[in-house]
Amino acid sequence: MTRVTDAPSPGACRICGGVVEEFLDLGRQPLSDRFLEPDESGEEFFYRLAVVQCRACTMVQLAEEVPRHLMFHADYPYHSSGSSVMREHFAGVAQSFLATELTGADPFIVEMGCNDGIMLGAIQEAGVRHLGFEPSAGVAGVARSKGVRVRTDFFEEATAREVRAAEGPADVIYTANTMCHIPYLDSVLRGADALLGPNGVFVFEDPYLGDIVTKTSFDQIYDEHFYLFSAGSVQAMADRFGFELVDVERLPVHGGEVRYTLARRGVRTPTPAVARLFAEERDQKLTGLATLRAFAANVRKIREDLVALLERLRAEGHRVVGYGATAKSATVTNFCGIGPELVSFVCDTTPDKQNRLTPGRHIPVRSAAAFSDPYPDYALLFAWNHAEEIMAKEQEFQQSGGRWIRYVPQVHVT
């Protein structure tokens, strides 16, 4: 049995209240991280995954909001520490803050969505005062086991004010792959204003609209990614709350992200990187509706090509499995209508996902060991943003004659 939310008209921009226009409809989608038990009964939540753009502030956002308690709960299955690439990335983030921003007599850093403590663990080891916000109790518990101070709660204006009253101002508020999850950014930014010290910075990194459009990485769009940020839309958002975009850094992780640094208006001089990214976005016409509609047409072409390829391989008797039961893969399988008749199973290293079914299309999820028992003819790489790490790990697959199917930036076999 399934339940579908009402599909209201797109309505107003969640940031500025401006008029929004829809440019992409990815159809009826489930919760991207809701992996079902094989015998599970009851309702599965579905909603319409459509993407709109504000014509006033240019912010790209989802037309429908999924209630946050359905996405971020005690059994939330994603663990940042599961990837060696991400462990190295967050170690670098911690060292950068320790060298540049956390140098006073008693510095204080707060992280929104600290997950399993992958970044704050290094801060804790350095003896620096810190606090993580993590509403998902399971991963919050893992962080605490590392000695990280965690508040199992959402970061918003009320909770930020409570921390300011109890612990004083923060030098840094940091978050990775979390800001884009939060429709109520007005409360978050008012909370940042309340908690940060006069010279403090608010630093966040999230998937970048420019990379998504260039690579046609439409699977970056799912329930948890409510916003798709660009430098221009971030500046417009920051300005409404007394902040200014003072630095940007392009990041290779997760298929292409940008790290944005906000400070109170006039406190820091924006770096040249900000002006360069603004110029790139103007040259690319990134936020032009024609650009976004062309992106949508490319997405539909990927669906057509991927389904045709999988159906041909099935007709030829080839065995195809998926690699990586990612949140992103829910968008692909449900938009393209890919079920176990085309992809036998998906292998994944996360124990909490194994022996369950993928959201919506109900493809079985098996352990990583199942990938080589025996190797399939083809592997559909859902975890394409970790391709380099995966390819190095799975060399025997290709040596045995196996081939990878990839769909970013277009459908191809390697």
Side-chain angles (χ1 to χ4, degrees), residues 5-11 22 48 50 63-65:
T5 61
D6 294 334
S9 58
E22 183 176 313
R48 188 174 76 97
E64 290 189 24
E65 175 185 347

Side-chain angles (χ1 to χ4, degrees), residues 74 76 78-82 114-118 121 134 136-150 152 352:
Y76 184 65
Y78 180 72
H79 288 237
S80 299
S81 296
C114 69
N115 198 258
D116 58 9
I118 187 172
E134 179 48 67
S136 300
V139 290
V142 176
R144 287 193 188 95
S145 72
K146 302 175 182 178
V148 174
R149 291 180 62 228
V150 183
T152 307
D352 291 345

Side-chain angles (χ1 to χ4, degrees), residues 93-328:
V93 171
Q95 293 308 312
S96 176
F97 283 143
L98 290 169
T100 59
E101 303 291 344
L102 304 175
T103 57
D106 183 25
F108 180 38
I109 180 171
V110 172
E111 183 176 8
M112 295 168 45
C114 69
N115 198 258
D116 58 9
I118 187 172
M119 193 283 289
L120 284 183
I123 299 294
Q124 185 271 334
E125 290 176 2
V128 171
R129 195 159 55 96
H130 65 277
L131 178 67
F133 277 80
E134 179 48 67
S136 300
V139 290
V142 176
R144 287 193 188 95
S145 72
K146 302 175 182 178
V148 174
R149 291 180 62 228
V150 183
R151 176 171 174 157
T152 307
D153 209 341
F154 291 95
F155 183 100
E156 51 199 355
E157 183 178 8
T159 54
R161 289 188 180 281
E162 289 174 7
V163 172
R164 174 63 184 256
E167 307 205 33
D171 299 277
V172 177
I173 299 174
Y174 170 73
T175 183
N177 306 300
T178 299
M179 276 287 279
C180 68
H181 293 185
I182 306 172
Y184 54 94
L185 288 182
D186 53 344
S187 180
V188 170
L189 287 163
R190 285 195 298 268
D193 183 41
L195 180 54
L196 279 175
N199 299 312
V201 289
F202 181 24
V203 183
F204 64 96
E205 53 191 68
D206 282 289
Y208 177 50
L209 178 64
D211 285 310
I212 292 170
V213 169
T214 300
K215 299 175 182 177
T216 321
S217 51
F218 70 97
D219 56 351
Q220 295 276 30
I221 304 168
Y222 53 94
D223 53 353
E224 295 177 12
H225 287 181
F226 188 84
Y227 294 105
L228 303 177
F229 296 122
S230 64
S233 65
V234 167
Q235 176 58 72
M237 174 183 69
D239 188 60
R240 297 181 64 83
F241 297 92
F243 288 103
E244 184 177 11
L245 181 60
V246 297
D247 197 15
V248 293
E249 182 181 354
R250 299 290 293 270
L251 304 172
V253 296
H254 289 307
E257 297 194 338
V258 169
R259 179 179 296 144
Y260 304 94
T261 300
L262 306 184
R264 288 193 169 82
R265 191 183 296 117
V267 170
R268 300 195 183 197
T269 301
T271 68
V274 175
R276 286 196 298 269
L277 191 53
F278 283 156
E280 286 178 23
E281 292 182 357
R282 286 193 299 271
D283 293 344
Q284 188 183 352
K285 299 180 180 178
L286 177 60
T287 56
L289 201 54
T291 300
L292 298 176
R293 285 175 173 162
F295 162 73
N298 291 338
V299 170
R300 292 188 288 270
K301 180 65 164 56
I302 286 177
R303 175 175 61 180
E304 178 183 326
D305 292 347
L306 182 57
V307 172
L309 172 61
L310 293 174
E311 289 180 341
R312 176 175 65 79
L313 293 176
R314 178 183 60 182
E316 293 173 353
H318 294 295
R319 180 167 165 265
V320 180
V321 307
Y323 197 106
T326 61
K328 300 192 303 296

